[in-house]
Structures are given as C-alpha cells and as structure tokens.
Amino acid sequence: MKERLNRFMRGRYGADELSRFILVLFVICTVANMFTRLNIFYAVSLGLLVVSYYRMFSRDHAARFAENQKYLSIKNKLLSKLGLTERQRQQRKNYHIYRCPACGQKIRIPRGKGKICITCPKCGQEFKRKS
Ligand SMILES: [Zn+2]
C-alpha cells in the first residue's frame, strides 16, 4: 500500500506555500459555510479543494513553481505595504521613524536615547523628539 502510494506520488509536485494558502482559504470558506449556510461558500471551498489537489498531483513542476513564485511576490508586496515584513518589524523594534516637519523626509532614530535634537539630513531643519 505504502509502496503504491510512493509510486503514485513520484514525480508529482506536492505542497508548497501557495497550496498551504489555498488550504487556509478552504478552511475559512468551509467555516463560513457552516455558519452562514450560503451555497457560495460551499462552491468556493469545493473549488479551492479541487485546485489544491490538482496542484499537488501535477507533474508540470515549472508551471506550479511559477504560480508559487507569483503568489510569494504578491504576498511580499502586500506585507511590505502593511509594514509587516520581518525586516520592517525588526526596524520598528530598534528604531523610531520620524518625519521632518519642514520637508517630510523620513528619518530613522535609534530607540532608547532619551530626548534628542534631530537635524534633518535633507534640509537641515532641527527638531526635538523622544527616541
Ligand atoms: Zn527636512
């Protein structure tokens, strides 16, 4: 039995980040369907399940890989717009970002230095802020 399953899965694409995301959407739609009893959620969740199985059992690795890359690039763009990437979170922990009151230039100040006088590197405006 295990041997047969192994043979069946050989050369198949398997799971990736996109299929995990599709499964999360599937769970959300299934739960939404349970609470609302709307057929649209049922139809969407069924569709998502079909797509995720199709991708996992696919032998066209190049196409599936391209889909996953596209998903990852969209995801990263969204996360960075919301300021949620790992790097941005790290930055916020260690730095304050202030805007120059005169020209609007963003200025990064290390945290925990008390009240300091900041000189804008762009226009030379000075202003005091807590770091
Ligand atoms: Zn300035």
Side-chain angles (χ1 to χ4, degrees):
M1 185 59 207
K2 197 167 180 215
E3 170 69 21
R4 280 179 70 185
L5 184 70
N6 275 344
R7 207 173 320 130
F8 176 72
M9 286 307 290
R10 194 169 300 146
R12 312 266 178 182
Y13 184 70
D16 60 10
E17 286 246 2
L18 176 56
S19 48
R20 246 165 280 156
F21 176 66
I22 291 172
L23 280 179
V24 168
L25 285 182
F26 166 74
V27 170
I28 291 171
C29 282
T30 306
V31 171
N33 177 48
M34 267 162 41
F35 283 104
T36 61
R37 293 271 153 221
L38 287 176
N39 285 334
I40 179 75
F41 287 121
Y42 181 71
V44 170
S45 67
L46 217 60
L48 288 168
L49 201 61
V50 168
V51 168
S52 93
Y53 274 109
Y54 171 77
R55 292 191 75 254
M56 272 198 269
F57 296 139
S58 168
R59 290 180 192 276
D60 189 352
H61 289 219
R64 300 294 85 78
F65 182 77
E67 288 164 7
N68 192 44
Q69 290 305 106
K70 193 159 189 192
Y71 159 73
L72 289 176
S73 98
I74 292 170
K75 179 183 156 196
N76 280 336
K77 243 182 253 166
L78 281 176
L79 286 179
S80 100
K81 253 188 201 153
L82 297 170
L84 291 174
T85 63
E86 193 51 46
R87 191 168 163 268
Q88 285 167 319
R89 259 185 293 181
Q90 207 59 42
Q91 288 256 328
R92 228 168 321 154
K93 216 172 93 187
N94 299 323
Y95 298 96
H96 253 302
I97 308 288
Y98 287 116
R99 273 190 188 278
C100 168
C103 70
Q105 170 71 39
K106 277 187 185 172
I107 304 164
R108 197 182 72 169
I109 305 296
R111 285 182 187 274
K113 302 266 186 264
K115 196 160 187 167
I116 52 167
C117 187
I118 301 162
T119 307
C120 172
K122 198 171 161 196
C123 68
Q125 168 85 24
E126 290 192 355
F127 56 102
K128 285 199 175 85
R129 289 287 188 279
K130 233 182 88 189
S131 69

